[in-house]
Amino acid sequence: MSVIEIESESQFTELTKSDASKLIALYFHTPWAGPCQTMNSVFKTLAEANESVLFISINADDHPDISELFEVSAVPYFILIRNSTILKELSGADPREFINALNQFTEKKGTGAPAAAPAAAAPQVPAQAPVEESPEALNERLKKLTGAAPVMLFMKGSPSAPQCGFSRQLVAILREHQVRFGFFDILKDDSVRQGLKSFSDWPTFPQLYINGEFQGGLDIVKESIEEDSSFFENAVKST
């Protein structure tokens, strides 16, 4: 089955209500978020291998009402639904995590066998052998990461499952101000975690970047908002 790209809110409503008993995979993405480029191909490949699942793709920028309905503030973002009930929400570009969640909810009751294609049909994510990264290469990678989205949050964990209180607070602030942002889980890449401390000249996390420019950590962002209630809007325009 191919991916269905949502063109209107009415189309989305019709698709999600026409066969409520079917497992539905919602994929929220934007053209500007670098991590979405990887997940676009993963989502398409999975759709072609799983006939029993309805794969729906939603451009979060083009359809803000649908995004707000599910409180989507970071992309890529995945939601698995059946019988109008949310079974699982995933934030971030981790193919293995999404594939595992999909397999979890496509098993036939009582048999443990996959209801869709066998696991071998799913796209394989090759394990990357550790490669020593030169300081220059790391610096170039950090430049690309910090500019991967207009607003980039480097945090511990993901927006849906923050791994520290400071990260949780900054995610809440971004959502409160309806800021759409990309994120990077620094717990999954120690090179980025350590390198970003020197790159930004800031020793702790979370760290917030806007248009590739370092803005600060939680306390500085709080102070900036107190001084200017339109801080995020003005920062995006001015950088």
Side-chain angles (χ1 to χ4, degrees), residues 30 68 70 79 189 208 230 232:
T30 62
E68 289 173 10
F70 292 95
I79 301 175
D189 192 322
L208 187 71
S230 301
F232 291 113

Side-chain angles (χ1 to χ4, degrees), residues 55-94:
F55 289 81
I56 297 178
S57 176
I58 305 133
N59 185 317
D61 284 342
D62 290 347
H63 304 287
D65 290 342
I66 301 176
S67 301
E68 289 173 10
L69 178 65
F70 292 95
E71 299 183 349
V72 175
S73 59
V75 291
Y77 200 85
F78 301 89
I79 301 175
L80 297 180
I81 298 175
R82 182 184 281 128
N83 294 322
S84 300
T85 301
I86 294 177
L87 304 175
K88 187 90 172 179
E89 294 182 71
L90 299 169
S91 182
D94 187 337

Side-chain angles (χ1 to χ4, degrees), residues 1 7 14 19 21 35 39 49 56 69 80-81 95 107 109 112 129 144 156 167 172 178 188 190 202 204 210 215:
M1 182 179 293
E7 302 293 339
E14 182 179 350
D19 189 358
S21 63
M39 296 309 295
I56 297 178
L69 178 65
L80 297 180
I81 298 175
E107 289 184 349
K109 292 183 179 179
K144 291 180 180 179
K156 294 180 179 180
S167 293
Q178 299 182 337
K188 292 185 176 180
D190 197 57
W202 194 260
T204 60
I210 295 181
Q215 303 298 312

Side-chain angles (χ1 to χ4, degrees), residues 7 15 20 22 29-30 34 50 53 70 73 93 98 154 165-166 184 191 200 207 227 237:
E7 302 293 339
L15 284 170
K22 194 169 190 175
H29 60 89
T30 62
N50 290 272
V53 181
F70 292 95
S73 59
F98 179 61
F154 292 83
F166 299 116
F184 188 92
S191 293
S200 62
Q207 294 184 13
E227 294 172 0
K237 289 179 180 178

Side-chain angles (χ1 to χ4, degrees), residues 156-210:
K156 294 180 179 180
S158 67
S160 59
Q163 296 298 307
C164 78
F166 299 116
S167 293
R168 183 178 295 107
Q169 288 183 59
L170 193 41
V171 167
I173 288 172
L174 289 166
R175 285 177 170 167
E176 179 185 350
H177 287 81
Q178 299 182 337
V179 177
R180 200 176 302 284
F181 62 96
F183 80 96
F184 188 92
D185 181 359
I186 53 99
L187 297 179
K188 292 185 176 180
D189 192 322
D190 197 57
S191 293
V192 170
R193 181 178 185 176
Q194 300 304 327
L196 206 58
K197 295 177 183 179
S198 300
F199 186 83
S200 62
D201 195 21
W202 194 260
T204 60
F205 293 93
Q207 294 184 13
L208 187 71
Y209 279 77
I210 295 181

Side-chain angles (χ1 to χ4, degrees), residues 85-130:
T85 301
I86 294 177
L87 304 175
K88 187 90 172 179
E89 294 182 71
L90 299 169
S91 182
D94 187 337
R96 286 190 186 89
E97 189 177 13
F98 179 61
I99 292 170
N100 288 339
L102 202 61
N103 288 339
Q104 176 186 351
F105 294 105
T106 53
E107 289 184 349
K108 293 179 179 178
K109 292 183 179 179
T111 66
Q124 299 299 306
V125 182
Q128 295 182 348

